[in-house]
Amino acid sequence: MNSPYKKIEYRPSVLQAGERLPNIFIRENGTYLYDYIKDEYLMIILLSVSCRSCESALESLLEFSNENKDPNVLILIDAPEKDVHHLRSIFKGFHVYPFNSEEMKTHLRTGTIPWLYSIDKEGSIIKSYVCGSDYYNLAIPPYADYS
């Protein structure tokens, strides 16, 4: 049967649950992303100071940090060094490093920011979605179902 409609396979460019997140090099301190995995998981939050949605994601992250003791969080943010230092003073228990937005899209395959990946000890993605508000709580074990 010849159909006038061509079947198109759609695959989102963003890495999905079950895929492995690349173990990228974090230039500022000479470590790799997987070096931050502890207690079986790592929550990676990708942000930019030039993004309006990221402002609200940061506000929600502050609430999350006040409500959760010692979550394992790595924040990669496209920001000037002074803003990175300021965020480090606010999110004392989190790892905060500068990272270019274009590199986020290229190396970590984020379609947009703010973005959140939660990975297990092997680097496999457990959660992958736009972050903000209650979504942070879904990214730490025990994992809630997010559809």
Side-chain angles (χ1 to χ4, degrees), residues 2-145:
N2 266 345
S3 171
Y5 303 103
K6 182 178 178 182
K7 182 178 178 184
I8 297 173
E9 293 291 326
Y10 173 74
R11 175 157 167 54
S13 63
V14 174
L15 292 170
Q16 301 295 313
E19 296 182 278
R20 285 182 58 101
L21 193 66
N23 189 17
I24 60 168
F25 183 67
I26 302 186
R27 279 186 223 107
E28 181 166 296
N29 65 349
T31 60
Y32 287 86
L33 188 127
Y34 290 6
D35 294 336
Y36 295 94
I37 299 172
K38 69 174 189 174
D39 300 328
E40 309 289 320
Y41 81 100
L42 173 63
M43 185 184 342
I44 303 128
I45 301 170
L46 307 167
L47 303 162
S48 172
V49 292
S50 62
C51 158
R52 287 193 78 122
S53 298
C54 293
E55 290 175 22
S56 110
L58 276 168
E59 289 171 9
S60 298
L61 186 58
L62 183 58
E63 291 174 25
F64 170 81
S65 70
N66 291 331
E67 295 168 0
N68 292 277
K69 293 284 185 200
D70 198 30
N72 192 24
V73 177
L74 171 65
I75 300 171
L76 298 177
I77 187 160
D78 191 350
E81 193 59 38
K82 67 177 179 63
D83 292 336
V84 172
H85 285 298
H86 180 67
L87 288 173
R88 285 180 181 149
S89 70
I90 294 171
F91 298 107
K92 291 183 169 92
F94 296 179
H95 306 282
V96 181
Y97 297 106
F99 206 82
N100 180 283
S101 294
E102 288 306 311
E103 290 181 4
M104 289 177 200
K105 291 176 185 173
T106 302
H107 300 297
L108 297 173
R109 291 188 30 205
T110 59
T112 186
I113 48 177
W115 198 262
L116 180 147
Y117 286 117
S118 185
I119 60 174
D120 67 14
K121 66 182 179 179
E122 304 299 323
S124 292
I125 298 169
I126 305 297
K127 301 289 181 176
S128 172
Y129 48 77
V130 174
C131 63
S133 75
D134 293 334
Y135 297 141
Y136 295 119
N137 290 317
L138 299 174
I140 57 174
Y143 296 106
D145 185 29

